Amino acid sequence: MSRRGGAADQGSGDDRATAGVGAGRKAPAGRRRKRRTERAGAAAWVAARRAALAPALAPLVARARPLARRMKPDYPRPGRSDWRRWIPSWRQWLGACLYGFLATLAFVGCAYAVTDIPDDLNSFAKQQDNVYYWSDGSKMARTGWVSRQEMPLEKVPEPVQGAILSAENASFYSDPGVSPSGFLRAVKAAVTGGETQGGSTITQQYVKNAYLNQDRTVSRKFTEILLAVKLDRQKSKQQILQDYLNTSWFGRGTYGIQRASQAYYGKDVSQLNASEGAFLASLLKGAALYDPAISKENRARAVERWSWTLDRMVATGNLTAAERAKYTKFPDPVERSVASDATGQSGYLVELAKAYAIKSGHIKDADFDLGGYQIYTTFDRSRMDALTAAVQKTQKDFDAEHRPTTDTYAKIGAASVAPDGRLLAVYGGPDYLKQGFNESNATTIPVGTAFTPFVYATALDDGVLRTRGKPRTKVAPTSLYDGNDQVTVQTPDGPYWDRSGKVVKGRNDGARSWGQVTLRQAVADSVNTPMLQLGLDVGLDRVDGLAQRAGLLGASLGPQVPGFALGENSTPSAIRMAGAYETFAAAGMHTEPYSVRSITRNGSALPVVAPKPARAMSATAAASVTNALRDAVTEGSAKAVSRTHPGTAGKTGTTAANTAGWFVANTGQESTAVVVYRMSLTDLIPLPLTGLGADAPGTPGSDRAVELWAEYIKAVR
């Protein structure tokens, strides 16, 4: 009794826990008796059911036993002697085949059930390139690991679709996604190591391209077939054909029929005819064998395959005999060309356009890197050529080999902006692949006295404060300031003391004293001392605010100390300076420089909103600044410009240490900024321009900036 109770207790741990009985203690005797009674009742019920069913099952069992005995193979065969007893009978052969067929059917069914279409395509199958275009719509550059652009099926002409179907899979719209005969040929080739066989359907080829690898194995082919059948049931034929055309390899570095059309015929796929489509269809058999540009043998094969495809199109109903008769001459593709990648100056343009496209189009970096975008930029090709030529002409005077102390690390940055903010041209450096540092977009060089118009504009709008507690006083272009050299800079509380305990005094170029000068003259002639004092009078924080409203980036503006008014510690880029000076010409309305007009992805437009103009200063202040800048061109160091380019409003910019030479000017059609400087990209420390290009001592670097600007404007006007 105790033995049986112990066994029951070990097999019912849950009951033991429920009853709250401690480990090792037996359940109450009443509960054990109840469980034994329940088990006995269940066994009795099973026995009763068996007894009830026995009469009904007996005839079936009686019939099945002889059949089972007959189906049981008698092997080795009785009644045979010698080797013949080991030869299976025809019934045994038939049974073995039946068992094998059923086993294969079960295996395939199970494999089909557990095979899922992968969520992710092969990386190259979804990778596309991004293409950048000039403002006139011509191609500028292409970036990306592969040359591929998806194209909707409806944009592929029906004759081109027909050529592909006729050459590759005429029964595409009616087959289940696989070709049994093609599979058997492929298996034979894979097993025997023979030549690769055709016969795969378009669905199978797409599965191989998009989801699998190119290994020639039976297992890969088997998986390909399962995926093809399942894909055929889940996707429409049109979708499968579209995906196939967008992922197939056509040679010349291209994936997809759109890039193939551009590589072989220099036009969009929508412009292809049946004859050209027939040639592109031949490339699916192996571009290395059918690209005529590779060899004469290739051309002969291509012509033969092209002719066969056109005849096949007639046979499959994709082309009429009359239409076929029109295509008698082989459509030779264009010569192979080097891909237009982001090299030279175009690399800098691509860098700027990409950054703007991602920001304005709200595109994730990861999505942009997958490609498929067409970026239509604002860059003017003729202006880019002119600006590059002007820079290169200036650089001919630089000789770092023979004048290493004066000409080494010489650099030039330049940018041109249209009145509506379009970035027309930039010069970024010698070659993007050799120097990624963009000299037109760099914020490393002091802007110097080219910054003083912003001080002037702020004073005209906000007035000045010379006595603390008193109201601000308005100033005008004719307001007089002390233009003498070594004038002490004053604050409402007295002289300005720097951190070293010295009184700050203004210094003019060449230590020249100008006497009392108007603010307009101070801007036009780059008289430093009046502008230095004006900055303190108006408030450097207010100058900072207006400069930012005019387009200069806050991060490029320096600390608000007296030298801030002369641009000694602010380092805006040439792009930003060109855009800010455009604000003066636009009656005080500023439009942010932008480099992208529109973006599409695979033919669909993405929303890109162009920057809108915003008020940066009053129209009166802008007009006064423009007048002063016209005087600067007429009377200042850039006076030669006024003779060749009348109406120009511009300003040179120099620094106390002569580390930068600027010229920023507006012609009405565009605003252009040029900066000449010397700087090692290792430490980014500006170096003096003295003696650059064998210039005489004392020659300001701004002279070369003026000459370069004039050369550029002469070419584009």
Side-chain angles (χ1 to χ4, degrees):
M1 181 66 180
S2 63
R3 181 178 300 171
R4 287 195 301 273
D9 198 37
Q10 293 171 11
S12 184
D14 291 341
D15 290 342
R16 192 168 65 242
T18 304
V21 185
R25 297 178 60 187
K26 297 181 179 179
R31 182 173 295 176
R32 294 199 300 273
R33 285 195 298 271
K34 181 180 179 181
R35 286 199 296 268
R36 287 198 297 272
T37 301
E38 290 174 351
R39 286 198 294 270
W45 182 86
V46 172
R49 294 297 297 169
R50 285 178 178 174
L53 291 174
L57 293 175
L60 296 176
V61 173
R63 292 192 187 97
R65 280 174 178 169
L67 180 61
R69 283 195 297 269
R70 286 196 300 271
M71 292 184 66
K72 179 182 179 182
D74 257 346
Y75 195 80
R77 295 174 64 188
R80 298 289 191 275
S81 60
D82 302 330
W83 57 272
R84 287 175 295 179
R85 61 198 295 262
W86 300 101
I87 303 293
S89 67
W90 67 271
R91 291 186 180 88
Q92 291 171 336
W93 280 113
L94 182 61
C97 291
L98 180 61
Y99 287 140
F101 174 75
L102 293 176
T104 302
L105 193 63
F107 173 75
V108 172
C110 292
Y112 179 82
V114 301
T115 299
D116 293 323
I117 297 176
D119 294 330
D120 296 328
L121 301 176
N122 287 336
S123 59
F124 83 87
K126 57 185 178 182
Q127 178 76 50
Q128 303 181 61
D129 56 359
N130 293 321
V131 183
Y132 297 79
Y133 298 89
W134 294 101
S135 59
D136 62 2
S138 60
K139 181 180 176 182
M140 179 174 73
R142 177 182 65 81
T143 63
W145 293 107
V146 300
S147 177
R148 191 174 78 84
Q149 178 191 338
E150 291 189 4
M151 184 60 58
L153 186 63
E154 59 266 21
K155 293 191 176 183
V156 180
E158 290 190 5
V160 177
Q161 295 183 39
I164 302 292
L165 294 173
S166 298
E168 292 295 307
N169 186 188
S171 62
F172 170 72
Y173 281 104
S174 60
D175 64 39
V178 297
S179 169
S181 60
F183 169 68
L184 293 176
R185 288 196 302 271
V187 169
K188 179 182 177 182
V191 172
T192 62
E195 183 180 354
T196 302
Q197 298 294 307
S200 294
T201 64
I202 280 178
T203 308
Q204 289 176 254
Q205 293 180 52
Y206 169 65
V207 165
K208 180 176 66 174
N209 292 340
Y211 300 111
L212 305 175
N213 53 44
Q214 306 297 313
D215 295 343
R216 294 172 53 198
T217 62
V218 175
S219 62
R220 198 274 297 158
K221 193 69 177 179
F222 181 66
T223 304
E224 173 191 307
I225 289 178
L226 293 178
L227 287 174
V229 173
K230 183 160 283 192
L231 192 71
D232 192 78
R233 294 171 63 88
Q234 293 185 7
K235 287 189 175 184
S236 67
K237 289 288 189 179
Q238 290 79 6
Q239 184 64 49
I240 293 173
L241 180 59
Q242 174 180 296
D243 293 343
Y244 169 72
L245 292 177
N246 283 327
T247 57
S248 294
W249 169 253
F250 284 88
R252 294 194 179 183
T254 62
Y255 285 96
I257 196 165
Q258 167 70 349
R259 284 288 179 265
S261 175
Q262 294 171 339
Y264 288 93
Y265 290 109
K267 55 186 175 182
D268 192 85
V269 66
S270 62
Q271 301 173 342
L272 294 177
N273 58 35
S275 178
E276 294 163 336
F279 164 72
L280 293 182
S282 69
L283 298 172
L284 295 170
K285 299 293 290 182
L289 295 175
Y290 292 94
D291 185 351
I294 296 178
S295 66
K296 293 181 179 179
E297 292 76 15
N298 271 25
R299 189 181 188 283
R301 279 190 291 266
V303 172
E304 182 181 2
R305 181 72 180 180
W306 163 79
S307 180
W308 176 87
T309 301
L310 290 174
D311 293 340
R312 177 70 174 160
M313 290 177 69
V314 176
T316 57
N318 288 303
L319 195 68
T320 66
E323 290 172 327
R324 168 67 179 92
K326 293 189 295 186
Y327 300 122
T328 58
K329 183 179 179 181
F330 177 68
D332 278 298
V334 298
E335 294 295 324
R336 300 183 66 165
S337 60
V338 178
S340 177
D341 293 323
T343 60
Q345 288 303 305
S346 66
Y348 301 107
L349 308 186
V350 165
E351 173 199 37
L352 294 169
K354 175 184 177 181
Y356 188 84
I358 290 175
K359 180 181 178 181
S360 63
H362 304 288
I363 304 170
K364 295 180 180 178
D365 288 347
D367 292 338
F368 194 85
D369 289 342
L370 286 177
Y373 294 92
Q374 297 80 51
I375 299 95
Y376 296 88
T377 74
T378 61
F379 297 113
D380 185 295
R381 191 169 193 166
S382 61
R383 279 178 163 79
M384 274 298 302
D385 292 341
L387 185 58
T388 302
V391 172
Q392 291 174 345
K393 182 177 180 180
T394 300
Q395 289 175 330
K396 288 181 179 179
D397 292 338
F398 303 162
D399 189 350
E401 182 179 352
H402 296 93
R403 293 188 297 272
T405 57
T406 60
D407 290 14
T408 303
Y409 306 129
K411 301 187 182 304
I412 295 175
S416 187
V417 177
D420 59 359
R422 287 176 293 118
L423 198 52
L424 300 175
V426 303
Y427 181 84
D431 188 317
Y432 183 74
L433 294 183
K434 297 178 181 178
Q435 177 190 292
F437 180 80
N438 188 340
E439 295 166 7
S440 71
N441 201 33
T443 55
T444 54
I445 298 301
V447 67
T449 51
F451 186 78
T452 55
F454 303 110
V455 181
Y456 182 39
T458 309
L460 294 173
D461 270 348
D462 296 355
V464 297
L465 180 63
R466 294 193 179 96
T467 305
R468 194 169 305 282
K470 298 289 185 179
R472 300 182 73 86
T473 305
K474 285 188 172 294
V475 295
T478 55
S479 297
L480 295 174
Y481 265 69
D482 190 345
N484 289 323
D485 191 47
Q486 297 288 336
V487 174
T488 299
V489 178
Q490 299 287 335
T491 72
D493 300 319
Y496 187 97
W497 299 77
D498 63 19
R499 291 185 177 181
S500 64
K502 295 181 179 180
V503 174
V504 176
K505 295 183 178 182
R507 291 179 174 81
N508 292 325
D509 291 342
R512 179 177 175 180
S513 290
W514 294 74
Q516 294 292 305
V517 296
T518 64
L519 291 181
R520 178 171 175 170
Q521 182 185 0
V523 173
D525 291 334
S526 289
V527 185
N528 293 341
T529 51
M531 303 313 297
L532 196 64
Q533 183 60 55
L534 183 64
L536 270 292
D537 290 348
V538 73
L540 298 178
D541 57 335
R542 292 174 179 255
V543 176
D544 185 294
L546 183 139
Q548 291 194 49
R549 293 195 300 274
L552 302 190
L553 299 179
S556 69
L557 299 178
Q560 294 174 15
V561 296
F564 178 81
L566 299 179
E568 292 179 356
N569 55 17
S570 294
T571 57
S573 68
I575 292 175
R576 287 288 168 174
M577 282 299 290
Y581 267 53
E582 187 61 59
T583 305
F584 300 134
M589 299 296 291
H590 172 68
T591 304
E592 282 287 288
Y594 66 99
S595 56
V596 176
R597 297 180 293 112
S598 62
I599 306 173
T600 62
R601 192 172 195 271
N602 303 327
S604 300
L606 298 182
V608 178
V609 180
K612 295 181 179 179
R615 175 66 61 187
M617 66 192 75
S618 68
T620 302
S624 296
V625 172
T626 299
N627 290 333
L629 295 179
R630 288 200 178 102
D631 289 347
V633 173
T634 304
E635 303 171 5
S637 60
K639 59 185 178 182
V641 170
S642 64
R643 294 193 297 270
T644 55
H645 308 290
T648 298
K651 176 80 173 69
T652 57
T654 57
T655 61
N658 193 28
T659 56
W662 287 82
F663 185 62
V664 191
N666 185 281
T667 63
Q669 288 76 36
E670 60 197 280
S671 179
T672 305
V674 179
V675 56
V676 180
Y677 63 102
R678 290 177 60 228
M679 186 179 69
S680 169
L681 297 183
T682 303
D683 52 25
L684 300 181
I685 297 177
L687 301 172
L689 294 174
T690 304
L692 176 64
D695 286 341
T699 302
S702 58
D703 284 4
R704 288 197 175 273
V706 171
E707 293 171 2
L708 194 159
W709 180 92
E711 189 73 24
Y712 164 67
I713 294 299
K714 181 175 67 174
V716 299
R717 269 196 166 183

